[in-house]
Amino acid sequence: MSSEASTVFVEVLTDEELAILAGPGDTVVSPFWSADDQDAETRDVVLRTAYRGLLARGIVDPPTPQARVEALGEPAVELQVRGDVQALVTLRLGARVVVAIARTTALTQDFWYAHVVEDVVLVEEVGSDGMHRFALAPVDTLTDLVVGAAVHPETRDGSGEPVELPAGSTEPSIEVAEALGAALVRADVVVRTVAGEHPQLIGLFTGPGGAWVLSEGTEGAVVVRPSTRAAVEAELGDAVRAVVARAYG
């Protein structure tokens, strides 16, 4: 069974809706929401609007009179959240392994996350519009999901000599850019655990023109070396499996 066939869509939520349902977090980006960038009055209006949207879509139920009475003196009333959405929030908060991928193309930038909880993966795709698209998949499809998210589907083997980029550079070298052209996908893959381990970072440039892997050079420089597609997929798979095994083995 393919990873796509076994992935089940759950819901789409906005930055602001997740701020209500899940509270603040530091793992997943929120392109349209940052409590630090808003004054208290603006933040209150935004959250009230998001709450009304959740009510209208049937994702949360309004508090009952009894719940209001029980919450007297408390800062908030506990929300009654629809079961499938409550499940995804619980999985998101309970993941011991998170694979985070920042993807950049000539036209767009987005972010992809795999929250791993035992034998389940909660996939979260975040667009620049602040929409979070959630789906569920079995953990045995995780490697395929990560490869599919990080590697251009038409990637071929890279060729040539390694190229060193200056410190702080985020753009491919002329050689890599000419080989990949407009089909370039840059993916920065981070595999992290909640145990506080130093997360592993894998940087990639992929496309029909080849595959290149980024690694640290001297004095903060970045070395871009050509690689085969098979080697890139193997490196991603090994990194993911090693971290999951440490967390859940």
Side-chain angles (χ1 to χ4, degrees):
M1 179 180 295
S2 70
S3 57
E4 289 187 2
S6 56
T7 302
V8 179
F9 170 78
V10 181
E11 186 57 82
V12 179
L13 298 168
T14 67
D15 285 348
E16 299 86 350
E17 289 171 341
L18 279 167
I20 293 173
L21 296 170
D26 58 0
T27 299
V28 179
V29 298
S30 298
F32 268 52
W33 169 260
S34 175
D36 295 335
D37 295 337
Q38 302 177 36
D39 58 53
E41 183 176 353
T42 300
R43 186 164 58 249
D44 183 63
V45 171
V46 170
L47 291 179
R48 285 179 180 275
T49 302
Y51 175 70
R52 286 171 56 81
L54 290 170
L55 284 174
R57 293 160 58 197
I59 292 176
V60 300
D61 292 329
T64 63
Q66 181 60 33
R68 291 180 182 276
V69 170
E70 293 175 353
L72 286 176
E74 299 295 328
V77 179
E78 184 175 351
L79 292 177
Q80 299 299 310
V81 184
R82 200 175 69 201
D84 59 336
V85 175
Q86 183 60 60
L88 78 81
V89 171
T90 301
L91 289 170
R92 192 173 185 258
L93 294 174
R96 290 164 60 183
V97 175
V98 179
V99 183
I101 305 176
R103 303 183 292 199
T104 305
T105 70
L107 299 176
T108 62
Q109 181 180 44
D110 66 1
F111 302 86
W112 185 97
Y113 301 87
H115 309 273
V116 184
V117 182
E118 299 288 351
D119 58 351
V120 176
V121 177
L122 176 67
V123 177
E124 180 175 0
E125 294 189 63
V126 186
S128 58
D129 56 1
M131 298 292 181
H132 300 244
R133 294 163 175 82
F134 291 93
L136 292 172
V139 75
D140 59 8
T141 65
L142 177 60
T143 297
D144 290 340
L145 289 168
V146 171
V147 169
V151 179
H152 191 290
E154 298 178 9
T155 294
R156 297 180 181 176
D157 295 348
S159 61
E161 298 297 322
V163 178
E164 188 170 86
L165 304 180
S169 176
T170 59
E171 299 296 329
S173 65
I174 294 175
E175 296 90 336
V176 173
E178 287 180 346
L180 291 175
L184 164 69
V185 173
R186 173 167 181 160
D188 294 309
V189 185
V190 177
V191 186
R192 66 195 311 169
T193 70
V194 297
E197 300 176 0
H198 183 68
Q200 182 173 357
L201 171 64
I202 301 173
L204 304 172
F205 290 119
T206 61
W212 284 263
V213 179
L214 286 69
S215 59
E216 292 184 5
T218 58
E219 298 182 356
V222 175
V223 176
V224 185
R225 54 181 172 81
S227 180
T228 66
R229 175 169 184 159
V232 167
E233 293 182 356
E235 183 173 353
L236 288 171
D238 289 346
V240 170
R241 285 188 291 269
V243 173
V244 172
R246 288 200 301 272
Y248 290 108

